[in-house]
Amino acid sequence: MQWRASLYRSKEPLKADTHGPYNFLRKHSKEPKLPKKKPFRYPDHYMRKPPLPSLMDIPIMGIQNNRDYITLNAVEVIKGAPQKSMPYYTTKKFYDDSGCPIFIYKEDYGKLPEYIVRRREKQKEYETYLAEKARREVPKPLPESERQKIIQGLKNNWNALNRQYLCLPMVTDTVSKRVRWETLEKEMDELDKQIKRVEKQKFIFIKK
């Protein structure tokens, strides 16, 4: 017990913040206090229009005036001095004394606008492209030697089909034989038409 008591001993009297019996800790006493409530206003309240009158407001009626505002305004305009425009000063005199612009002194006077120049350049490029495309697509004549080679090749194909046609049996008693017979006849007729067409045309043009 003496050892425990020695732990709480002090050379000086204990300095503690003592409160009176009526100065005790109360509920919500340590919570932050909010500022006093102020009336709310929007930031643009000074730009807003005044509120509409209520239904109970009675307008002032019966006020009359005998002044002729149309005549008074006409007399004021007739007797008044004409309004002068502010002079415009620059290094070059682009405006006259009355304030009207003098277009001949402008830097871009007599020049085409930039959008017209760009449009003409694009139109020129497009026309060049069309001319080049038409030049490439012009059909070229087929040489006579090539025409003779084509005719000879068609005839060789017709001879090969004719050789197969002659080797077929005379009796077509099955479906496969009949189909083969008709197929060879159609191919030979088509080659015969192509040979006559090429031989008839002396000049043949090839399109790229």
Side-chain angles (χ1 to χ4, degrees):
M1 295 293 293
Q2 294 181 358
W3 177 76
R4 287 188 178 180
S6 64
L7 294 177
Y8 299 100
R9 291 177 182 177
S10 176
K11 296 180 179 179
E12 296 180 359
L14 182 62
K15 295 180 181 181
D17 188 9
T18 59
H19 301 283
Y22 301 101
N23 192 12
F24 56 87
L25 183 63
R26 291 174 173 81
K27 184 171 64 174
H28 304 297
S29 61
K30 293 189 177 183
E31 293 181 358
K33 295 182 179 181
L34 298 176
K36 293 183 179 181
K37 187 177 180 180
K38 297 181 180 179
F40 175 75
R41 284 187 178 182
Y42 288 98
D44 58 344
H45 65 90
Y46 61 91
M47 299 175 59
R48 297 193 172 191
K49 296 181 179 180
L52 296 174
S54 64
L55 296 175
M56 305 302 295
D57 293 342
I58 301 175
I60 301 173
M61 302 176 67
I63 299 176
Q64 297 181 359
N65 193 351
N66 296 327
R67 296 181 64 182
D68 190 357
Y69 290 99
I70 297 176
T71 305
L72 291 176
N73 290 338
V75 172
E76 185 179 355
V77 171
I78 292 171
K79 292 184 178 181
Q83 186 179 3
K84 294 182 179 180
S85 60
M86 296 296 293
Y88 186 79
Y89 299 101
T90 58
T91 55
K92 294 183 180 181
K93 189 177 180 182
F94 290 159
Y95 295 83
D96 55 9
D97 298 334
S98 63
C100 297
I102 304 175
F103 294 100
I104 59 175
Y105 294 127
K106 288 189 174 182
E107 296 180 358
D108 57 350
Y109 177 76
K111 296 180 181 179
L112 288 175
E114 293 183 1
Y115 75 95
I116 295 180
V117 175
R118 291 195 299 269
R119 184 180 299 175
R120 288 186 176 180
E121 290 178 355
K122 291 182 180 179
Q123 183 67 23
K124 189 176 180 180
E125 292 178 359
Y126 182 68
E127 290 176 356
T128 305
Y129 165 75
L130 291 179
E132 183 66 21
K133 185 178 179 181
R135 186 183 63 81
R136 292 178 180 178
E137 294 180 354
V138 171
K140 294 184 178 181
L142 184 68
E144 182 63 23
S145 58
E146 294 292 335
R147 193 175 75 90
Q148 294 297 332
K149 287 182 181 180
I150 292 173
I151 295 172
Q152 188 62 36
L154 292 173
K155 288 181 178 181
N156 293 337
N157 293 338
W158 188 89
N159 292 330
L161 292 176
N162 187 31
R163 192 178 301 108
Q164 296 179 15
Y165 182 78
L166 294 176
C167 293
L168 290 176
M170 298 298 294
V171 180
T172 56
D173 52 352
T174 59
V175 178
S176 60
K177 292 180 181 180
R178 190 179 302 107
V179 171
R180 180 62 176 166
W181 192 290
E182 293 176 357
T183 304
L184 289 175
E185 285 183 349
K186 289 181 181 180
E187 292 180 358
M188 291 172 64
D189 292 341
E190 185 65 25
L191 285 174
D192 192 17
K193 292 179 182 178
Q194 293 180 4
I195 291 170
K196 291 179 179 179
R197 184 182 303 173
V198 177
E199 288 180 346
K200 184 178 179 181
Q201 301 293 334
K202 299 295 182 182
F203 301 98
I204 299 175
F205 294 89
I206 301 174
K207 187 177 180 180
K208 290 185 179 181

